[in-house]
Amino acid sequence: MQRIAFYAGSFDPPTNGHLDIIAGGLNLADKLVLAIGIHHAKQPLFSFEERVSLLHGSIEACFPDHIAKIDIIAFDGLLIDKAREIGAKILIRGLRDATDFDYEMRLAGMNKMLAPGIDTIFIPAQARTRHLSATLVRQIATMRGDLSSFVPGVVRTALIDKFDNKKAIS
Ligand code: ADP
């Protein structure tokens, strides 16, 4: 039977930290489903379609041999409901620090009660990416900082375009 892992996030935008976790998920599962959370109350920097395209571009650049193992989908309700619906047995989460740990342990506990057949697996962030968050990447992009150590090339280009266009419009 195919072992399906589910990795959810906002990926707004995808960072090298997300890609490290994707690499770990690829080691653990036959199929890795990347689920982009759509929160109607939150206005993302990149649209769902843009985030799909950035994830695709990043995966093509970083894991060209694993493209067939990865699906990208949207979800707008409880992530555990979506994970169950697609038949996942593993929830992948990344852990950067103690703040992530406290939140993620609570989330894992609640998810286990909601779906006992699905287990959370934590992948620790690597030293070179543990300081990274999409929020900080967006802030650095706003101020035209150097993004090359934080995101794949395709994301860096999209961030530069996004903020150059915004400047041109305002
Ligand atoms: P962010 O927190 O960067 O906005 P998401 O909300 O998309 O990212 O996070 C989804 C998942 O990815 C969470 O499990 C989070 O801990 C993990 N994650 C995000 N950034 C990193 C990183 N730099 N290293 C390890 N895990 C990460």
Side-chain angles (χ1 to χ4, degrees), residues 3-168:
R3 185 193 292 263
I4 302 173
F6 186 90
Y7 177 35
S10 7
F11 305 107
D12 186 33
T15 69
N16 290 342
H18 294 131
L19 286 160
D20 280 350
I21 304 304
I22 291 172
L26 286 168
N27 284 337
L28 291 167
D30 305 307
K31 179 117 215 140
L32 178 63
V33 177
L34 304 179
I36 301 177
I38 310 287
H39 304 288
H40 295 290
K42 271 211 262 172
Q43 179 64 41
L45 176 62
F46 290 102
S47 68
F48 169 70
E49 291 75 18
E50 286 173 322
R51 282 178 279 164
V52 170
S53 150
L54 292 176
L55 273 173
H56 264 303
S58 305
I59 289 160
E60 268 169 16
C62 300
F63 315 110
D65 300 337
H66 294 287
I67 294 168
K69 272 181 78 172
I70 300 177
D71 281 348
I72 304 174
I73 62 167
F75 75 99
D76 63 358
L78 278 179
L79 74 86
I80 197 71
D81 286 344
K82 195 70 187 173
R84 191 170 20 207
E85 185 188 313
I86 60 151
K89 287 280 174 267
I90 303 171
L91 282 186
I92 305 279
R93 303 291 297 171
L95 279 186
R96 284 165 285 198
D97 52 23
T99 308
D100 271 358
F101 180 82
D102 286 343
Y103 171 72
E104 294 290 346
M105 279 298 285
R106 286 200 298 271
L107 188 63
M110 299 282 282
N111 282 335
K112 185 72 180 167
M113 289 179 77
L114 291 169
I118 302 179
D119 283 298
T120 298
I121 297 198
F122 295 126
I123 297 184
Q126 294 186 32
R128 66 185 183 93
T129 53
R130 65 169 295 184
H131 49 278
L132 280 184
S133 74
T135 307
L136 283 177
V137 164
R138 288 196 301 274
Q139 281 175 5
I140 292 168
T142 318
M143 291 170 229
R144 314 295 193 277
D146 179 6
L147 296 162
S148 42
S149 314
F150 308 139
V151 294
V154 64
V155 175
R156 179 170 167 267
T157 305
L159 282 164
I160 292 171
D161 284 354
K162 179 85 57 187
F163 287 103
D164 280 356
N165 284 341
K166 276 197 176 163
K167 199 174 170 194

